[in-house]
Amino acid sequence: MQRLQDRVAVITGAAGGIGLATARRFAQEGAKLVLADLDEDAGRRAAEEVGGLFVRADVAQEDDVVRMFATAHDEFGSVDIAFNNAGISPADDDSILTTGMDAWRRVQEVNLTSVYLCCKHVIPYMRRQGKGSIINTASFVAVMGSATSQISYTASKGGVLAMTRELGVQFAREGIRVNALCPGPVDTPLLRELFAKDPERAQRRLVHVPLGRFARAEEIAAAVAFLASDDASFVTAAEFLVDGGISGAYVTPL
Ligand SMILES: NC(=O)c1ccc[n+]([C@@H]2O[C@H](COP(=O)([O-])OP(=O)(O)OC[C@H]3O[C@@H](n4cnc5c(N)ncnc54)[C@H](O)[C@@H]3O)[C@@H](O)[C@H]2O)c1
C-alpha cells in the first residue's frame, strides 16, 4: 500500500521499538521521513535503513522540537504527519509511595510536556497547509488502572489522552486530525528490560490479555499508518486502543 506517498512525516523516538517499526512501515507506504531521537547512533542507523533524515532532538526541550519541525519543513516543503511517540518508563517510577519528585518530573517532561511541545510547534505548519494528521502515543494505562503501578507514567499518558482529545476537537474544522494511540503491552526493549527484572510482574500483566500475548511493534505501526493516512479521514479526537482486547476484558480465556 502506498497510502502515504510523498507525505512528510516526523517520528519522535524513532531509533527503536514502536517508532522504528513505524518508520519502516511509513517508508513502505511512500512517506518522506524525519526521524528524531536522543540516541544518535541508533537514530542514524534507522534513518539510513529507511532512507530518511535523522535529527537529534530531546523532545522535552522546546528549541530541539522547534528545530526538528523546521528541518522537516525546510528539507521537504511540508509537515503532513507528526507521530509524537518518544517516551520513557524508568524503574524509579513505581508506586506512589516510593516514587520521588525527580522521577515524577522526568517522566512528566519526556512523556507529557514533549507532546505539548510537539503539538504546539507542528500545528502552525498544518494550519497553513489546511491539513495534517497528529498521532500522540498514550497507552492503555490512560484508560485503566494497574496494581503494578508506574504512577508518573500512567498520569502522563492520561494527560496525553486528554490533551489529544481537546486538540482534535479544537482543530477539526481546519483539516487537522489529532488522535491518541493507546497500545497495550508491546514486546519492545522498554518492556523487556522492565520485565527481565521482574518476571512475576510480566506474568501478572500477560494473564489479562485476551489474545494471550504482547503486541509486536509492527502491529502497532500498522495502526499508526492507518491513523496517519486518509483511510482515517473521519477519525479524530479518538482514544485509539490497540491492546489485544485488554480494556474490554473481564475474564480471559485459559
Ligand atoms: N512498549 C510498550 O509496551 C508500550 C505500551 C504502551 C505505550 N508505549 C509507549 O510507546 C512509546 C514508544 O515506546 P517503545 O516501547 O517503542 O520504547 P523504546 O524505549 O523502545 O523507544 C523509545 C525511543 O524514544 C527515545 N527517547 C527517549 N527519551 C527521549 C527524548 N527525551 N527525546 C527524544 N527521544 C527520546 C529513545 O532513545 C528510544 O529510541 C512510548 O511513548 C511508550 O510510553 C509503549
Side-chain angles (χ1 to χ4, degrees):
M1 270 187 286
Q2 295 285 301
R3 294 177 298 185
L4 307 180
Q5 192 62 46
D6 294 330
R7 305 273 168 94
V8 179
V10 177
I11 302 175
T12 69
I18 295 169
L20 177 56
T22 303
R24 289 177 176 140
R25 178 67 190 247
F26 277 15
Q28 283 164 16
E29 298 231 23
K32 295 175 181 164
L33 293 174
V34 172
L35 275 57
D37 207 288
L38 266 183
D39 184 337
E40 287 213 48
D41 289 343
R44 285 190 197 289
R45 270 199 310 277
E48 204 169 305
E49 182 195 325
V50 301
L53 187 70
F54 174 71
V55 175
R56 191 205 169 274
D58 178 344
V59 289
Q61 297 296 327
E62 188 160 20
D63 292 351
D64 282 11
V65 170
V66 169
R67 190 170 43 81
M68 172 179 85
F69 289 121
T71 303
H73 190 265
D74 293 351
E75 202 67 33
F76 298 116
S78 67
V79 190
D80 304 301
I81 299 159
F83 180 34
N84 302 322
N85 161 76
I88 54 170
S89 176
D92 56 353
D93 176 23
D94 202 275
S95 162
I96 196 167
L97 300 175
T98 53
T99 302
M101 286 297 281
D102 250 21
W104 169 269
R105 286 203 176 110
R106 195 170 357 107
V107 171
Q108 293 297 317
E109 288 280 303
V110 178
N111 290 7
L112 180 57
T113 306
S114 70
V115 175
Y116 152 77
L117 288 174
C118 287
C119 291
K120 183 179 177 69
H121 292 295
V122 78
I123 286 172
Y125 290 107
M126 294 179 169
R127 289 184 78 198
R128 285 199 288 276
Q129 295 161 192
K131 69 178 174 65
S133 172
I134 298 173
I135 301 106
N136 295 326
T137 306
S139 166
F140 72 107
V141 297
V143 301
M144 57 196 306
S146 168
T148 55
S149 183
Q150 296 170 271
I151 196 62
S152 186
Y153 181 91
T154 296
S156 73
K157 295 304 188 180
V160 169
L161 179 58
M163 177 163 54
T164 301
R165 191 185 295 127
E166 188 145 302
L167 296 175
V169 172
Q170 184 181 355
F171 294 102
R173 306 270 170 117
E174 297 193 56
I176 304 170
R177 295 185 295 103
V178 194
N179 289 295
L181 177 80
C182 298
V186 184
D187 188 17
T188 61
L190 187 137
L191 200 73
R192 246 173 274 150
E193 198 182 304
L194 198 74
F195 287 167
K197 290 192 199 113
D198 195 345
E200 193 210 317
R201 199 165 174 149
Q203 274 314 313
R204 281 186 73 183
R205 293 195 184 196
L206 201 50
V207 78
H208 294 289
V209 190
L211 284 180
R213 62 176 176 83
F214 295 143
R216 296 190 308 276
E218 296 73 30
E219 293 174 303
I220 306 300
V224 184
F226 166 71
L227 290 172
S229 79
D230 293 343
D231 278 351
S233 53
F234 205 60
V235 183
T236 199
E239 176 183 299
F240 202 87
L241 283 152
V242 187
D243 68 351
I246 297 173
S247 59
Y250 171 39
V251 175
T252 53
L254 284 172

